[in-house]
Amino acid sequence: MKIKVLTATSGRKLEDRVNDFIKSSGVKVLELQYGATLFEYTVMVVYEEIHN
């Protein structure tokens, strides 16, 4: 199990970053945890690497 933390200054940018990570990394997502402050949005992706 691994984690990746992604941040952005807008919700839309964060969505794009999370989707790009999931698509390009070939991972199995186990959990997503979302957080926000006044200045940024954050998602922690808990995942497993997929080995073909």
Side-chain angles (χ1 to χ4, degrees):
M1 178 170 43
K2 294 187 174 188
I3 65 166
K4 176 77 172 178
V5 177
L6 302 161
T7 62
T9 55
S10 76
R12 182 66 192 161
K13 286 181 186 178
L14 184 59
E15 286 178 19
D16 291 343
R17 288 180 182 166
V18 170
N19 289 329
D20 288 345
F21 171 73
I22 292 169
K23 277 193 287 186
S24 66
S25 300
V27 297
K28 177 183 175 185
V29 175
L30 303 175
E31 182 179 351
L32 296 171
Q33 293 185 12
Y34 173 80
T37 67
L38 256 137
F39 303 107
E40 69 181 4
Y41 299 89
T42 304
V43 168
M44 181 177 75
V45 182
V46 180
Y47 67 96
E48 291 179 350
E49 292 180 327
I50 297 174
H51 300 288
N52 292 327

